[in-house]
Amino acid sequence: MARPKIDPVVWRAPRAIKPPRGSTLPPLTVLPVAGKGTEDVLVDAEGRVLTGVEDGRILRIADGAAEVVADTGGRPLGLEFYPDGRLLVCDADRGLLLVDGSTGDVEVLIPAGPNLRVCNNAAVAADGTVYFTNSTDRFDLEFWKADLLEHSGTGRLLRRDPDGSVHTLLTGLQFANGVALAPDGSSVVVADVWEYRLRRVWLTGARQGHSDVLAENLPAFPDNISTGSDGLVWIAMASPRDALVDLLLRTPPVLRKLLWRVPERLQPKEKRTVWTRALDFATGAAVHDFHGVVPDFHMVTGVREHHGRVYLGSLEERAIAWFDLPR
């Protein structure tokens, strides 16, 4: 498919914080799976890990073996459990889906189209309310770098009520991505990726309907986020910030148009790191920060803390990984 045209916007990134040195990553277990791009991870009540891969399959992994739960026929990204036990799937090609893990049946809640270009990640309330992201109105998932270089901010955070009605909560997001609900249901948090920050929308209390910033000037691109069993918001830090990218975003648009024409192999690449961070929902303060370099896993795009074990997915790897929280 031919690359789409871009219409870049000039943006000045905040001064980057120096990246951490050394490694704080506990021993990492890497489990290969038969499929590329384990973009998100989800853990069920029996401790089995679910993930979607780029050919449309959703896999369930237990004791080192993987079984196919369903095939969406698209590109599954974010995974969550729906209150009735089915899987809620954000599919970049097909939209917002419900998948029956016992039969493999797929129900389309909101089809992909002009109003849902890249359904990316979600969080589900106990009553079935779904908070989900449309990353961009401009580009399909395979051209996510175009959205970075253009920086036009067409991402949105949306809400689907149990009656099927859909409402927009936030607009102007730079590649809207991960979504997480506060444990008490007071707020929902969304990753504003190209801005290196997490935005928060208040759902209850005196600030209901208002938004603010939970964390800003992050040292990496935040991807999927999730609420851990520990009550923290966990962030998949896909790749450390790149000084060259920050420089490009403040240069005249014509330079980025030229760069977009350069072959993929010559364009900036993600760094081979493993990085996840956990924040306090109320204050945004960092509680955990685990980072390091390993030879067989990188580009963490999905993270899930489950009773002291942290599971990781990757848009680029044919594997999932996990580590145990230090005591």
Side-chain angles (χ1 to χ4, degrees):
M1 184 183 297
R3 289 184 185 177
K5 294 181 180 180
I6 65 173
D7 188 15
V9 175
V10 174
W11 179 72
R12 292 184 176 275
R15 183 182 296 274
I17 299 171
K18 289 184 179 180
R21 295 182 178 181
S23 175
T24 60
L25 187 68
L28 191 70
T29 298
V30 178
L31 178 65
V33 300
K36 182 181 178 181
T38 57
E39 201 268 350
D40 197 14
V41 283
L42 182 64
V43 186
D44 68 14
E46 298 177 42
R48 299 173 298 185
V49 182
L50 295 109
T51 187
V53 291
E54 68 177 11
D55 64 8
R57 291 174 300 145
I58 297 174
L59 308 176
R60 182 164 53 211
I61 302 160
D63 300 323
E67 62 174 323
V68 178
V69 171
D71 189 333
T72 69
R75 195 347 174 170
L77 299 176
L79 305 176
E80 296 294 328
F81 286 116
Y82 201 63
D84 64 7
R86 286 183 291 175
L87 282 174
L88 182 83
V89 180
C90 292
D91 192 295
D93 294 337
R94 297 200 60 197
L96 188 67
L97 314 176
L98 278 178
V99 174
D100 190 318
S102 60
T103 66
D105 291 342
V106 178
E107 177 186 347
V108 179
L109 293 181
I110 305 175
N115 294 320
L116 188 57
R117 187 74 179 258
V118 180
C119 187
N120 198 315
N121 200 240
V124 186
D127 67 353
T129 300
V130 178
Y131 301 89
F132 64 103
T133 47
N134 178 48
S135 290
T136 170
D137 282 337
R138 294 275 294 134
F139 308 101
D140 294 335
L141 180 64
E142 66 176 302
F143 298 118
W144 62 267
K145 283 186 180 179
D147 198 75
L148 168 60
L149 291 173
E150 183 174 274
H151 214 82
S152 54
T154 61
R156 291 175 287 138
L157 174 65
L158 304 154
R159 184 188 79 225
R160 182 188 185 273
D161 292 338
D163 64 6
S165 59
V166 178
H167 310 271
T168 299
L169 300 184
L170 277 180
T171 61
L173 297 171
Q174 297 286 353
F175 206 78
N177 204 318
V179 185
L181 272 171
D184 62 0
S186 61
S187 64
V188 60
V189 177
V190 60
D192 195 4
V193 182
W194 309 146
E195 295 270 345
Y196 313 121
R197 67 184 179 182
L198 302 185
R199 297 280 302 278
R200 172 173 53 190
V201 177
W202 292 95
L203 305 176
T204 63
R207 303 191 66 186
Q208 183 176 355
H210 294 277
S211 66
D212 59 13
V213 175
L214 178 65
E216 59 186 340
N217 201 17
L218 292 168
F221 293 100
D223 206 283
N224 288 346
I225 63 177
S226 62
T227 304
S229 63
D230 52 12
L232 301 175
V233 54
W234 283 83
I235 314 169
M237 308 277 266
S239 181
R241 285 174 58 172
D242 187 322
L244 175 59
V245 171
D246 283 355
L247 174 62
L248 284 169
L249 292 177
R250 67 171 185 258
T251 58
V254 65
L255 295 180
R256 275 174 280 159
K257 288 184 177 181
L258 292 173
L259 177 62
W260 182 233
R261 298 174 188 166
V262 170
E264 173 70 22
R265 67 181 185 279
L266 300 177
Q267 293 184 12
K269 298 291 190 299
E270 75 277 1
K271 294 181 172 62
R272 292 195 60 87
T273 58
V274 175
W275 198 348
T276 183
R277 176 176 286 192
L279 308 182
D280 181 273
F281 258 106
T283 66
V287 179
H288 300 295
D289 191 51
F290 299 112
H291 54 84
V293 177
V294 296
D296 49 358
F297 200 81
H298 82 296
M299 196 179 184
V300 175
T301 54
V303 61
R304 195 78 53 163
E305 185 277 335
H306 182 74
H307 301 308
R309 176 165 286 182
V310 180
Y311 297 87
L312 307 174
S314 168
L315 185 66
E316 290 295 322
E317 296 287 357
R318 293 178 175 270
I320 61 169
W322 69 80
F323 62 85
D324 291 321
L325 289 173
R327 293 186 180 276

